[in-house]
Amino acid sequence: MNSTQPESKTIRKQIKLPLSVALRISLQNIKIRFLRSMITAAGIFLGIAFFVSVRATSLMTPATNPGDTAAIEAANRQTWLVVMSLLMCTVGITNSMLMAVTERYKEIGTMKCLGALDSFVVKLFFIESSFLGFFASVFGFLGGFLLVFLLNLIRQGGEVFSVIHWGAVFALFGISVSIGVALTVVATILPAIRAAKMPAAAALRVEV
Amino acid sequence: MNATEYVVRVRDVVKEYEMGKLTVRALAGVNLDIIRGEYLSIMGPSGSGKSTLFNMIGGLDKPTSGSVFIDDVDMAQLDAQELAYLRCHRIGYIFQTFNLIPVMTALENITLPMIFAGVTADEARERGVELLTLVGLGGRVQHKPTELSGGQQQRVAIARSLANNPSIILADEPTGNLDLKTGKEIIELLKRLQTERNVTIISATHDLKMLDISDRIVWIRDGRIERLERREDLDLQVGEVEGVSG
């Protein structure tokens, strides 16, 4: 006890959460609530799969004639649908992450009692959602692309291989994963702020 | 060094809550000095201000007026980072509902505050195992909270509260969710830690078993300290004790 005496009047500010620990906690959080996490991820998965299927279809069919107004209009309508579906899945993720915050009030409060800063809590939520966003987008890409590819393979036969530009497919992969992760992160802003504002005293609450 | 050294000093603490248009006064001017190394129980009926006082001492809530000092540091003067530092290093918390982080093993739960404090992973692990052994759970290092009984979970929580050698341990109804026998074991463990490690233990409780091992008991009623008793004087008033907490 004597050893604590000299420093007893100084309050320092060194509190840290190493990234490796944050990653482990976030991954465990996903694992332990696997079904819930998968449902959250399903929103992004479906949104990205739809986006990819629309884009991949245009990659596998011959270019539209610039004068064909009906085709251009159809393409515009599809873009509108894709944007709407992505927005919908963003709202869905915000909703389920908000529920996750409410569900974990005690855990968040406890972490703060142990010395966690608001920023740690924010970090954990963003890591968790980025993970979900990333994997859901990768699988969303695979799902959407393979579906369209198989349909075209049946319709066009081997010809589809000559139409596909693999560089464009790869670019589409990059774009869809970026969109997926970006949307998940945006969707987590509000829940993460809500979690960060959770008072440490929430840990003591007994009622559900 | 003074004969009696105070680890917590509560000075004229008033706490008011706004409830709609109504102002509720949870604490109406409380003064309290807590001696280093003592076992202090805070008793009082629901709505007495007991929890509010407890939260003030733990730095979980700020007073409307007055000050709370821990190790001579006025908590109202601290910013968020300093308060986190204080919670991490100086205060250990024990909860009624144990509050272990469900995704982490017993050992990870104990080492988390050490990692916040910047202790290396190896040292944290070593100290964590040591603490688990101290509370009698040396063989449960890799168990998840769901694989432990209530009493065992509370033991892990007690070990966690000791992680960074805090000056005080705040225990909020530590036996509230445990059966009689397990509750008694937890109380004995807390008492042993207090005497062996010279930790100050402050406990909010309804549990009469707790009175028996407390050095002093603070009775809160209507936001004020009704009386402050030493254990030696207690046996004279057992009838009243039962009346108040019942």
Side-chain angles (χ1 to χ4, degrees):
Chain A
M1 215 193 52
N2 287 335
S3 61
T4 64
Q5 243 11 58
E7 59 163 340
S8 73
K9 296 223 165 46
T10 54
I11 291 290
R12 285 169 298 170
K13 295 190 175 189
Q14 293 164 338
I15 294 287
K16 45 195 144 194
L17 176 63
L19 193 62
S20 61
V21 177
L23 281 173
R24 210 175 58 225
I25 298 175
S26 301
L27 277 178
Q28 288 286 357
N29 266 325
I30 294 176
K31 215 171 101 185
I32 209 163
R33 301 174 180 89
F34 192 71
L35 185 66
R36 172 81 68 81
S37 304
M38 286 307 106
I39 293 171
T40 310
I44 278 288
F45 170 83
L46 293 172
I48 293 297
F50 182 50
F51 167 74
V52 171
S53 65
V54 169
R55 302 291 303 170
T57 307
S58 67
L59 285 180
M60 287 177 216
T61 44
T64 326
N65 180 354
D68 189 349
T69 47
I72 291 172
E73 210 171 281
N76 283 343
R77 218 174 14 247
Q78 263 184 343
T79 311
W80 169 244
L81 275 174
V82 167
V83 170
M84 284 310 287
S85 74
L86 289 175
L87 281 179
M88 288 285 287
C89 74
T90 311
V91 173
I93 291 174
T94 303
N95 185 38
S96 50
M97 289 306 269
L98 275 176
M99 279 177 63
V101 172
T102 318
E103 189 185 69
R104 290 185 218 168
Y105 72 89
K106 200 171 266 184
E107 207 176 312
I108 297 167
T110 307
M111 286 254 197
K112 288 196 168 179
C113 282
L114 300 181
L117 297 168
D118 293 0
S119 60
F120 293 6
V121 179
V122 170
K123 207 177 183 180
L124 290 177
F125 272 89
F126 276 123
I127 292 175
E128 191 177 326
S129 72
S130 318
F131 259 120
L132 285 181
F134 178 77
F135 286 108
S137 310
V138 169
F139 284 106
F141 170 83
L142 290 175
F145 182 78
L146 288 178
L147 184 73
V148 173
F149 184 75
L150 286 176
L151 284 177
N152 277 280
L153 195 63
I154 294 165
R155 208 178 296 154
Q156 304 179 23
E159 234 172 87
V160 71
F161 287 101
S162 59
V163 184
I164 288 187
H165 192 289
W166 290 103
V169 172
F170 195 72
L172 180 60
F173 174 75
I175 291 169
S176 47
V177 171
S178 310
I179 291 178
V181 173
L183 288 181
T184 332
V185 168
V186 168
T188 313
I189 293 175
L190 185 67
I193 291 174
R194 167 89 65 96
K197 281 189 181 160
M198 187 81 73
L204 296 147
R205 277 194 346 228
V206 177
E207 82 278 15
V208 181
Chain B
M1 209 177 180
N2 297 337
T4 44
E5 194 191 338
Y6 296 113
V7 62
V8 178
R9 288 182 296 134
V10 178
R11 285 285 169 273
D12 304 317
V13 164
V14 173
K15 179 67 185 181
E16 288 170 343
Y17 291 105
E18 302 282 335
M19 294 190 124
K21 282 183 180 162
L22 216 67
T23 306
V24 178
R25 185 169 265 220
L27 289 177
V30 170
N31 285 289
L32 179 65
D33 290 318
I34 301 174
I35 303 161
R36 192 178 290 279
E38 78 171 325
Y39 197 124
L40 182 89
S41 284
I42 304 173
M43 285 273 204
S46 304
S48 59
K50 178 181 62 168
S51 304
T52 310
L53 176 62
F54 187 82
N55 288 354
M56 298 285 162
I57 296 170
L60 301 177
D61 204 349
K62 290 198 169 167
T64 310
S65 71
S67 324
V68 178
F69 299 87
I70 289 190
D71 284 334
D72 293 324
V73 175
D74 183 354
M75 289 208 277
Q77 306 297 323
L78 303 179
D79 63 24
Q81 294 234 346
E82 290 166 329
L83 205 54
Y85 180 91
L86 188 93
R87 285 180 192 144
C88 186
H89 287 82
R90 301 289 161 76
I91 308 171
Y93 298 87
I94 298 170
F95 308 95
Q96 180 175 353
T97 46
F98 322 131
N99 292 24
L100 298 178
I101 310 291
V103 300
M104 300 175 117
T105 63
L107 183 66
E108 285 170 337
N109 262 286
I110 297 172
T111 52
L112 187 64
M114 299 184 200
I115 287 171
F116 286 166
V119 175
T120 60
D122 287 341
E123 196 192 332
R125 196 188 149 73
E126 196 178 308
R127 264 164 58 187
V129 173
E130 215 170 276
L131 285 170
L132 268 175
T133 314
L134 179 75
V135 298
L137 288 177
R140 310 270 163 162
V141 173
Q142 296 303 341
H143 283 59
K144 288 266 170 68
T146 44
E147 298 160 352
L148 298 170
S149 70
Q152 289 172 331
Q153 286 189 48
Q154 195 62 302
R155 281 170 191 270
V156 175
I158 291 170
R160 181 178 65 183
S161 74
L162 293 166
N164 291 323
N165 288 316
S167 313
I168 59 173
I169 287 185
L170 281 166
D172 178 45
E173 304 271 8
T175 57
N177 273 21
L178 298 172
D179 63 63
L180 220 64
K181 184 171 160 284
T182 320
K184 200 155 175 279
E185 285 167 10
I186 291 296
I187 291 172
E188 278 161 9
L189 174 63
L190 286 172
K191 183 65 187 175
R192 180 160 68 85
L193 294 173
Q194 181 231 346
T195 36
E196 280 176 13
R197 296 174 73 102
N198 201 24
V199 195
T200 315
I201 296 183
I202 302 162
S203 169
T205 186
H206 279 104
D207 192 340
L208 294 178
K209 294 193 291 301
M210 201 74 111
L211 300 190
D212 204 30
I213 54 133
S214 302
D215 295 316
R216 290 195 300 162
I217 299 114
V218 183
W219 299 87
I220 305 280
R221 183 171 277 258
D222 299 330
R224 291 175 197 281
I225 293 184
E226 196 180 36
R227 56 183 198 274
L228 187 61
E229 290 172 321
R230 283 144 55 85
R231 185 180 36 192
E232 300 90 278
D233 310 330
L234 195 69
D235 49 356
L236 301 169
Q237 297 162 346
V238 170
E240 210 176 329
V241 167
E242 281 168 353
V244 170
S245 75

